Amino acid sequence: MANLLFDSLFKPHEGSDKIFLTNADKFSMSYAEFLELAGRISNALGEIGVKSGDRIALQTAKSPHALAVYAACVRSGVVFLPLNTAYTAPEVEYFVRDSGASLVICDPGSAAELRPIAEQAGANLQTLDGAGQGSLADLVAKQTADFEIVDRDEDDLAAILYTSGTTGRSKGAMLTHKNLVSNARALVDCWRFTADDVLLHALPIFHTHGLFVASNVMLLAGGSMIFQPTFNLDAVIDALPNVTSMMGVPTFYTRLLADPRFDRNLVSHMRLFTSGSAPLLAETHIEFEARTGHRILERYGMTETNMITSNPYDGERRAGTVGFALPDVEVRICESDSGKEVASGEIGVIEVRGPNVFKGYWQMPEKTAEEFRDDGFFVTGDLAKFDEDGYVQIVGREKDLIISGGYNIYPKELELLLDELPGVLESAVVGVPHADFGEGVVAVVVMQPKASFDEAELAGALRERIARFKQPKQIVVLDELPRNTMGKVQKNLLREQFADLLA
Ligand code: MCA
Ligand code: AMP
C-alpha cells in the first residue's frame, strides 16, 4: 500500500529549501517548512481524535496554513472538505451535518456562531486565522513534525467538494487520490509546468480551480506560488513581473484589461495565462492578445470531473472554444434524452469518462446513478458541439445554473427561499449579462394578491440565509411569470426581458 496523492505531490519535496509559497514581504515558506507544518498538523489532528477516513470541514481565510491542513489531511488519510468563506452559518450547518465531519476548522471570528452547530453535529471545533493563529495553531505548536504517512488506496477519498444541485440540495462530490493525481499529471504535461515556474495564485482554495488545478499542479511540478489571499488588482499588477504564469477566472482578465497599467511591458516575460470556471468571451480573448501579445489558454472542467478539456499549449488556442479532451479523458457529445452521440457539428450534452471522473455524490447513490450512463460516462449538463477541427465549443447549459465571477449559483436554491418569504407567491431566478461577473443574478417575484413588493425587505430576508455572492443583484416584480403551454416558466423570456438590467 501507499498514499498516491501524498507520495506524488508532497513527499518528493521533503527537506527541500526551495520556496513553495510566498507573498511580497508578508511570508515566505519553503517546501520543507510547509511539510513540517503539515506533519505537525497531522499530529494535532490525531490528538483531537480525528482518524483516517474522517472528514474535516475547513472554512478559513486563504493562507499557507490552510493549504497545509489539506496536506495534513492527505498524509493522515483524512477527507478534506473545504468551504467557501462566504457561506453563512445555516449553509455551513448543512455541510457539516451531511458530511458527518468530525472536526470543523473556522476563523476565530465565526467560532461563536459555528460552535453550537459543530457541537450539535458531534464535531470538534478549532480556529485558524489568515495569519495562521488560533486554537488549532496552539495545538500544532506543541507537536513534532514526524508523522507516519497513512496508507490509502488510489480509489480512497481525498476530498469532498460540495456543489449545489438543481433540486436545491447541495451534493458532496467525492474525489479520490487517483482523480486528483491523474488530472494534475495531465495538466503539468499539457501546460508544460516545471520547477522553474512561479504561479500567481489569487484564486480561492476552497474550489477545484484554486485547490487542485493551481496548487496540485504546482506541487507536482515543484514550482513556487505567489499566494495572495484574494484577487486584488493592485497586488496582482505588483506581482506580475515576478511570475511566469497565472491562472484565473474570466473576471480576473476583464478587470486587468480595464486597467491601463496592464500592458505588454508588464507581462512580456510571462509564459502562460490560463482561464476557466466560466466562459471567456471571445472578445476578451482577442482584446487580451491585442494588448499583451499573449493568447489566453482556456480550459474546461467541473468539480465532479476535474479538468476535462484544454486548448493546446502549442498550436492554436482558439477563442470561444475549450479545446480538446485531456490525455486519458474521453469526451463525447450526446443527445440528452437518448444518450446517442450526435452527428459531428451538432449540439448536444458533453459526456465524460476517465480517471478524472469522481466516485459519486456522498451518500446519494440514486443521484449518482442518475448522472451516469450505463457505460460509465458522466453527463455534465453543458451543451456543446465539436467545431470543424474538433475543438469543443460550449454553447450553453442544459442545467439551470448561473455562473457569476466563477462561482456557481443554482436558481432552485434561491427560488425555494424566495417562495417561502411572506407575501411571495412564486419566483424565478435567472442569470443575465453582468459587466464584471459575466453573469449576475436577477430574481423575479410574483406577489400574493394584496401583498406589496418591497425589494429591500426581500433582499434583507435572504441576507442571513445564503452567501452574499448568491444573492440577487436585483429583485424585480411581475404580475405573472411567462409560462409555456405545459405550464413551465419560460426563463429564456425573462433573460431577454432583463438582459440590460446589470450590464
Ligand atoms: C464577490 N461578489 C460576487 C462575487 N464575488 N457576486 C457575484 N459573483 C461573484 N463571483 C460580491 C460580494 O458578495 C460583494 O457584494 C461584492 O461582490 C464585493 O465582494 P468582494 O469580495 O470584494 O469581491 P471580489 O474580491 O472582487 O471578488 C470577485 C472575484 C471572486 C475575485 C471574481 O468572486 C473570485 O475570486 N472568484 C473566483 C471563483 C472561483 O475560483 N471559482 C472556481 C470554481 P456586496 O458588495 O453586495 O456585499 S471551480 C470550477 O468552477 C470548475 C471546477 C473549474 O472549471 O474551475
Ligand atoms: P463547478 O460545478 O463549480 O465545478 O462548475 C462547473 C461548470 O463550470 C461546468 O459544468 C461549466 O458549466 C462551467 N465551466 C467551467 N469551465 C468553463 C469554460 N471554460 N467555459 C464555459 N464554462 C465553463
Side-chain angles (χ1 to χ4, degrees):
M1 280 282 272
N3 181 318
L4 181 62
L5 195 53
F6 197 83
D7 295 346
S8 310
L9 263 53
F10 299 100
K11 201 167 185 316
H13 307 298
E14 270 172 4
S16 162
D17 289 335
K18 177 164 184 170
I19 295 302
F20 173 41
L21 302 170
T22 178
N23 186 18
D25 52 1
K26 296 184 188 66
F27 58 80
S28 180
M29 193 181 266
S30 69
Y31 270 104
E33 288 166 330
F34 178 78
L35 286 165
E36 277 172 31
L37 175 61
R40 281 199 295 275
I41 297 173
S42 290
N43 283 321
L45 298 182
E47 193 174 311
I48 294 166
V50 177
K51 300 179 302 300
S52 136
D54 282 2
R55 276 78 54 209
I56 290 185
L58 176 113
Q59 191 193 34
T60 64
K62 178 181 171 184
S63 71
H65 305 79
L67 194 65
V69 172
Y70 163 55
C73 286
V74 176
R75 189 172 187 154
S76 308
V78 168
V79 182
F80 186 55
L81 199 164
L83 295 173
N84 193 323
T85 46
Y87 288 149
T88 59
E91 288 171 303
V92 172
E93 177 168 24
Y94 171 80
F95 300 123
V96 171
R97 276 184 185 281
D98 189 68
S99 66
S102 58
L103 171 63
V104 177
I105 305 173
C106 69
D107 274 305
S110 14
E113 201 175 15
L114 295 186
R115 195 175 299 282
I117 290 172
E119 271 168 15
Q120 282 218 334
N124 189 299
L125 182 131
Q126 299 291 332
T127 62
L128 181 68
D129 70 14
Q133 303 299 313
S135 66
L136 182 70
D138 297 343
L139 261 180
V140 165
K142 294 186 213 141
Q143 314 295 323
T144 66
D146 298 331
F147 185 86
E148 210 179 313
I149 301 165
V150 173
D151 282 344
R152 301 303 273 166
D153 189 80
E154 63 174 23
D155 289 322
D156 281 337
L157 300 193
I160 297 180
L161 264 61
Y162 274 83
T163 76
S164 292
T166 41
T167 55
R169 204 178 145 213
S170 284
K171 302 169 286 185
M174 300 191 287
L175 295 154
T176 67
H177 283 238
K178 184 169 74 188
N179 295 153
L180 301 182
V181 171
S182 68
N183 214 235
R185 283 189 181 139
L187 297 178
V188 167
D189 248 31
C190 290
W191 297 345
R192 312 275 169 84
F193 273 96
T194 70
D196 292 333
D197 274 298
V198 181
L199 179 81
L200 179 46
H201 192 305
L203 289 157
I205 54 167
F206 41 71
H207 279 313
T208 296
H209 198 163
L211 184 62
F212 302 140
V213 181
S215 304
N216 280 359
V217 160
M218 293 315 287
L219 279 157
L220 190 65
S224 306
M225 295 197 268
I226 297 198
F227 208 58
Q228 301 187 336
T230 56
F231 180 89
N232 171 289
L233 193 59
D234 292 336
V236 166
I237 286 177
D238 281 351
L240 279 169
N242 305 319
V243 301
T244 63
S245 45
M246 173 172 169
M247 296 184 188
V249 296
T251 300
F252 286 16
Y253 296 120
T254 50
R255 287 187 183 181
L256 281 168
L257 285 171
D259 193 303
R261 292 172 294 173
F262 185 68
D263 63 10
R264 202 171 275 253
N265 274 341
L266 189 73
V267 295
S268 57
H269 64 287
M270 292 275 288
R271 186 178 73 75
L272 183 64
F273 290 92
T274 69
S275 176
S277 307
L280 181 76
L281 295 179
E283 65 201 55
T284 309
H285 187 104
I286 292 161
E287 192 188 340
F288 197 92
E289 185 179 12
R291 176 87 69 89
T292 65
H294 288 283
R295 286 176 86 91
I296 299 176
L297 187 155
E298 187 173 6
R299 65 22 170 217
Y300 154 70
M302 260 182 102
T303 301
E304 287 90 333
T305 62
N306 298 286
M307 296 307 99
I308 303 171
T309 69
S310 170
N311 265 283
Y313 186 85
D314 297 318
E316 188 194 352
R317 299 177 193 168
R318 191 167 288 183
T321 80
V322 293
F324 307 103
L326 290 170
D328 297 330
V329 176
E330 294 170 86
V331 168
R332 66 186 186 195
I333 297 180
C334 298
E335 281 176 13
S336 170
D337 297 341
S338 69
K340 253 182 43 202
E341 274 192 68
V342 298
S344 185
E346 303 271 299
I347 292 171
V349 180
I350 300 177
E351 299 191 358
V352 53
R353 183 168 70 178
N356 55 318
V357 177
F358 75 139
K359 201 172 179 176
Y361 295 112
W362 174 255
Q363 291 182 335
M364 288 186 179
E366 295 87 12
K367 265 268 152 237
T368 304
E370 276 171 26
E371 316 269 328
F372 280 89
R373 301 283 184 202
D374 291 345
D375 58 3
F377 273 81
F378 174 71
V379 182
T380 63
D382 290 308
L383 295 170
K385 61 177 186 174
F386 289 116
D387 77 5
E388 60 285 5
D389 296 316
Y391 285 75
V392 174
Q393 189 179 356
I394 298 178
V395 298
R397 285 172 221 132
E398 193 187 44
K399 52 195 171 189
D400 192 12
L401 160 70
I402 299 167
I403 304 184
S404 177
Y407 285 145
N408 287 11
I409 298 153
Y410 278 84
K412 191 75 191 166
E413 183 184 7
L414 277 161
E415 288 159 5
L416 290 171
L417 285 174
L418 283 163
D419 292 351
E420 275 177 16
L421 297 181
V424 174
L425 182 65
E426 57 174 354
S427 63
V429 169
V430 290
V432 299
H434 186 287
D436 186 28
F437 294 132
E439 278 184 282
V441 176
V442 169
V444 183
V445 294
V446 176
M447 302 303 289
Q448 281 162 352
K450 299 203 184 100
S452 61
F453 169 71
D454 181 338
E455 185 183 0
E457 197 176 303
L458 295 180
L462 291 179
R463 199 151 293 145
E464 305 292 301
R465 307 283 297 277
I466 47 160
R468 193 92 189 100
F469 71 86
K470 296 182 192 169
Q471 291 171 23
K473 299 293 178 211
Q474 273 205 44
I475 306 178
V476 294
V477 67
L478 286 183
D479 289 340
E480 58 181 355
L481 297 175
R483 291 182 186 277
N484 63 15
T485 46
M486 309 290 287
K488 193 170 174 327
V489 177
Q490 290 174 296
K491 289 198 168 181
N492 54 327
L493 296 183
L494 293 174
R495 279 190 284 268
E496 275 168 30
Q497 184 173 353
F498 297 110
D500 298 327
L501 207 59
L502 308 177

